[in-house]
Amino acid sequence: MRILIDADGCPVVDIAVGAARERGLECLILCDTSHCIERSGVQTLTFSKGADSVDFALVNLLRPGDLVITQDYGLAAMCLSRNARVLHQDGMEYTTDNIDAFLLARHTARKIRSGGGRWKGQSKRTFAQDIAFESALKKLLDELERENV
């Protein structure tokens, strides 16, 4: 099992890297050329700035049982189809039971924006969100380690 981080705009890179180090897990940071995200002891893979280039590279690197951290619903759906576990930066796990609702919400928001409407963006990140993510990540890693024993 590895942890793959869709790091472009990801506020929990350090938390995820720390959890990987604690457990001796391989961790890959994936980003595009407009971001410079380097962490000691972790491999960073940088891809062209093209639309979804990081997403497709990440999906191509996936192995069943890997853990992906992303806020991108489309990427989450592709990862689920490759038998990966997927965690949002707020600690919510994407599953086959909830991904369709997220994709529909994304589609609806895009339609509203393209029609000239406004869609409320995300609020400023809080410390409580970091705590929730770290807790969910540790719980999920415990579960995955029990499954692989």
Side-chain angles (χ1 to χ4, degrees), residues 56-89:
F56 292 124
L58 191 151
V59 170
N60 287 327
L61 289 170
L62 269 182
R63 295 185 279 210
D66 282 345
L67 172 60
V68 175
I69 298 169
T70 185
Q71 64 179 342
D72 182 320
Y73 303 151
L75 175 58
M78 289 188 288
C79 294
L80 288 171
S81 73
R82 301 280 310 261
N83 296 317
R85 301 290 291 268
V86 189
L87 194 61
H88 186 273
Q89 65 191 22

Side-chain angles (χ1 to χ4, degrees), residues 13-30:
V13 171
D14 291 329
I15 296 170
V17 168
R21 279 192 189 124
E22 286 175 11
R23 295 168 187 259
L25 296 173
E26 181 181 358
C27 183
L28 302 173
I29 296 174
L30 291 87

Side-chain angles (χ1 to χ4, degrees), residues 5 17 20-21 27-29 38-44:
I5 305 170
V17 168
R21 279 192 189 124
C27 183
L28 302 173
I29 296 174
E38 300 278 337
R39 298 297 186 273
S40 176
V42 177
Q43 184 178 8
T44 297

Side-chain angles (χ1 to χ4, degrees), residues 65-114:
D66 282 345
L67 172 60
V68 175
I69 298 169
T70 185
Q71 64 179 342
D72 182 320
Y73 303 151
L75 175 58
M78 289 188 288
C79 294
L80 288 171
S81 73
R82 301 280 310 261
N83 296 317
R85 301 290 291 268
V86 189
L87 194 61
H88 186 273
Q89 65 191 22
D90 291 341
M92 185 256 334
E93 184 175 3
Y94 297 101
T95 67
T96 54
D97 293 330
N98 66 18
I99 194 65
D100 288 340
F102 290 114
L103 292 170
L104 178 60
R106 180 178 78 164
H107 175 72
T108 302
R110 186 173 288 155
K111 281 177 59 176
I112 290 169
R113 285 191 305 271
S114 69

